[in-house]
Amino acid sequence: MGRETRGSRRGPLRPKPVEKIELNEQHAGRRLALSIALLVFGVGLAVFALVRFLSPDRGWNTIEPNGSAGVTCGEEFVFLYPIGESGQGVWQERREITEAYTALCLTAYRSFHNEEEFAGMANLCTLNRHPNETFTVEKALYDALETMERSGSRALYLGPVYNRYDDLFFCTDDAQLVDFDPRLSEEVRLEYEALAALARDEEAVKVELLGENQVRLHVSQAYLAFAQEEGVDDFIDFSWMKNAFIIDYLAQGLMEQGYCRGAISSYDGFVRNLDSTGTGYALQLYDRQGKTVYPAAVMEYRGPMSIVTLRDYPMNDLDRRRFYELAHGEIRSMYLDIADGMCRSALPNLVCYSGEAGCGEILAKMLPVYIADQFDREALGALEKEGIQSITFREGEIFCSDQAVALGQLYDKDGVTYRLPEEPGGKDK
C-alpha cells in the first residue's frame, strides 16, 4: 500500500510559529492542508512563550522524560515548570522532577498501548486479547475507563473502526483511501456501520469496573465469533482520545508528589495547568476561516485549569497521524461518529475548559457536541451548567461563555479582524 508502518510514526517535532497559513492548492503526494511543521506545537509552545514573557525571572524549564527509561508518551507533551523556587538546589530539583515525570510518562504509555503487552502489568492490549477475564490495571487506565463509563459515551467501543480507519493516515495517495474511507467505498461504509452498531450495543461489549483497579472486558459469544471471522482484535481503544486521559494522569501524579506549579500540554489540544499561585498563563487560540487558519486571540487565565481544543484541521507534524487532506481539499479526521463510524466535525474549532473537571471528563462530554453534522448551541449550553465553559468562533466573532477568562491580542491584519460580541458574555446563536 506504500504507507508507513505504525512503528515509524515517532519522530522529533521542529515547529515554527507563523501568523496565518494558507491551505496548499497543489496536490503533492502525502499532503496536509494546513502546512505541517509550520505552526507552533499546538498549545504547548504558545503557553511556554507567554509564560516566559509574563515571568522571565522564574526559571521556567521544559521537563522531558529521561531517554534511558525507554519509549514513553513524552514526545506528545510539553511540560513546563519553574525550577529553583522550592529552596533546594536547582540541579537536584530538576533531577527529581524529571524522575517523577519519567515514571508517570512510562506508565501512561504502557497502560494505553493497544498493540503490545508489557511484563508485570495488564494494559489495554491485555484486555482486548483476553476478553471475559479479570485483570488489575494501572490507575491511569482504570480512571480513564471509569470516566468514559460515567459520561455515557460509547466512543471507546469503536476500537475495531479506529484500528481499520487509522491506516488511512498512512496512505501516500488518494487512490489508496478506498480501502479505509467509508465516504469513498460502499463496502467500507457498510463494514463501519456494522461495527458501530456493535459498539453501541451494551449486550455485545462492555467494560465492567469491579473496583480496586480490577477490570473485565465483557464480550458476547456472538461478537467473539464475528471477531474471529472478521479479524477483529481491538474491541476497545481510546485512539485519538487517549492524551486527554494521559494528561490528567500526569497532572494528578505530579501534584500528588508536590509539584503544583507549571503546565502540561499535548500536541493534539489538551492542557492541564497545575498552578494555584495566581501566576498568569496564556494560550494562543486559532480559528479556521475557509482555507486559512488565523491566530485569532490569546486566552489569559489564572489558577488550575483543564482545557480541551478540538479542530478539524492539522497544525503540526505530529498531526499527520490523525488528518489526511484529499487532492480536492476535503480533510479526513479521527473524529468518528458512534452512529456509523463516519468522521464528522460540527465546527472548525471548539474550546472547552474547566477549573474543576479534568480533560478526559471535558472531552467525553464534548464528543456529541463536536462530532456531529451541525452545531447545537443548546447542547453546548448544557455543558456550561455542569461547569464546563466554552469558546467558539463565527465569522470573525469570538464567543466566550465565561467572564473570568480574558481574551486579548485579537487578530487584526490583512483585512481580517477578530472581535468580541458587543455585549459581554454574548453567545453564538
Side-chain angles (χ1 to χ4, degrees):
M1 294 298 296
R3 61 183 193 269
E4 303 171 85
T5 63
R6 292 176 185 267
S8 69
R9 286 194 249 174
R10 298 191 167 274
L13 182 65
R14 297 291 182 266
K16 300 177 182 178
V18 298
E19 288 194 326
K20 73 173 184 178
I21 303 87
E22 298 289 347
L23 273 74
N24 186 356
E25 296 293 340
Q26 301 299 317
H27 182 60
R30 181 67 173 89
R31 299 157 60 244
L32 284 179
L34 301 175
S35 187
I36 60 175
L38 288 182
L39 277 174
V40 296
F41 185 114
V43 293
L45 295 186
V47 171
F48 179 48
L50 290 162
V51 169
R52 286 190 63 184
F53 176 75
L54 292 169
S55 309
D57 59 344
R58 294 264 182 177
W60 288 92
N61 283 249
T62 301
I63 307 299
E64 298 179 346
N66 192 325
S68 64
V71 179
T72 72
C73 64
E75 74 151 8
E76 300 187 3
F77 296 87
V78 173
F79 176 30
L80 304 161
Y81 201 84
I83 299 295
E85 299 183 4
S86 65
Q88 63 184 130
V90 170
W91 291 106
Q92 179 182 352
E93 183 181 7
R94 184 180 177 86
R95 182 175 64 253
E96 291 179 358
I97 195 171
T98 296
E99 289 176 356
Y101 185 57
T102 299
L104 291 167
C105 286
L106 183 63
T107 298
Y109 173 78
R110 293 182 174 181
S111 294
F112 287 86
H113 209 296
N114 69 330
E115 296 177 356
E116 180 181 357
E117 294 184 82
F118 299 91
M121 70 181 299
N123 64 359
L124 197 62
C125 182
T126 306
L127 297 177
N128 279 314
R129 290 183 178 178
H130 304 276
N132 300 314
E133 298 181 33
T134 300
F135 295 93
T136 300
V137 300
E138 295 290 332
K139 189 175 187 300
L141 180 56
Y142 191 89
D143 287 352
L145 293 169
E146 188 174 46
T147 297
M148 289 297 287
E149 180 183 45
R150 191 167 55 243
S151 74
S153 171
R154 297 280 297 176
L156 174 72
Y157 299 99
L158 280 173
V161 184
Y162 292 135
N163 181 276
R164 172 78 179 276
Y165 186 77
D166 183 61
D167 286 340
L168 181 152
F169 303 103
F170 300 111
C171 293
T172 57
D173 187 88
D174 289 5
Q176 299 171 350
L177 269 62
V178 69
D179 290 331
F180 316 107
D181 191 341
R183 286 188 166 84
L184 300 180
S185 167
E186 177 68 7
E187 180 181 355
V188 173
R189 186 188 70 78
L190 292 174
E191 177 188 352
Y192 287 7
E193 199 171 73
L195 291 170
L198 287 167
R200 297 192 303 272
D201 186 356
E202 291 190 9
E203 296 298 319
V205 58
K206 180 177 175 58
V207 169
E208 298 181 62
L209 302 174
L210 307 174
E212 298 182 346
N213 294 341
Q214 294 187 72
V215 180
R216 183 175 186 265
L217 176 61
H218 169 75
V219 183
S220 70
Q221 291 303 311
Y223 194 177
L224 287 174
F226 172 85
Q228 183 174 9
E229 182 178 347
E230 299 297 329
V232 171
D233 53 14
D234 284 343
F235 299 101
I236 57 174
D237 189 5
F238 285 91
S239 185
W240 66 273
M241 302 177 288
K242 74 179 189 308
N243 281 345
F245 300 95
I246 287 178
I247 203 170
D248 287 341
Y249 171 72
L250 298 178
Q252 186 62 36
L254 287 166
M255 289 189 291
E256 288 175 354
Q257 296 180 63
Y259 301 109
C260 301
R261 297 289 308 279
I264 312 173
S265 56
S266 71
Y267 83 96
D268 47 358
F270 305 111
V271 176
R272 283 294 303 265
N273 181 32
L274 317 180
D275 200 335
S276 59
T277 65
T279 298
Y281 286 76
L283 176 66
Q284 180 70 61
L285 302 178
Y286 292 91
D287 176 44
R288 177 178 66 78
Q289 293 191 44
K291 295 184 177 182
T292 306
V293 177
Y294 298 93
V298 170
M299 173 183 172
E300 301 172 0
Y301 63 96
R302 298 177 186 272
M305 189 79 74
S306 302
I307 307 172
V308 176
T309 300
L310 299 182
R311 49 184 163 82
D312 67 357
Y313 50 87
M315 286 184 63
N316 56 65
D317 194 32
L318 292 180
D319 271 341
R320 65 187 177 189
R321 303 175 182 179
R322 61 197 197 104
F323 292 101
Y324 182 99
E325 183 203 357
L326 283 77
H328 55 70
E330 286 187 9
I331 296 177
R332 299 293 189 257
S333 73
M334 281 297 293
Y335 303 130
L336 303 187
D337 195 335
I338 189 69
D340 55 12
M342 293 271 204
C343 70
R344 291 187 172 89
S345 302
L347 295 168
N349 319 267
L350 176 60
V351 180
C352 287
Y353 59 93
S354 172
E356 302 294 333
C359 287
E361 181 180 350
I362 294 171
L363 175 63
K365 292 180 178 180
M366 288 172 70
L367 292 178
V369 177
Y370 191 77
I371 302 180
D373 285 321
Q374 295 183 336
F375 172 49
D376 186 341
R377 172 62 243 182
E378 291 186 3
L380 187 61
L383 299 189
E384 294 165 15
K385 297 176 181 178
E386 299 183 49
I388 297 175
Q389 304 296 336
S390 64
I391 300 174
T392 56
F393 306 84
R394 178 168 56 84
E395 297 177 353
E397 201 161 15
I398 307 174
F399 302 89
C400 184
S401 64
D402 180 18
Q403 296 302 299
V405 167
L407 297 178
Q409 299 185 36
L410 303 182
Y411 185 87
D412 185 358
K413 189 176 180 181
D414 300 331
V416 177
T417 300
Y418 278 83
R419 60 199 181 280
L420 301 176
E422 293 183 3
E423 297 182 7
K427 295 183 178 181
D428 191 358
K429 303 299 181 182

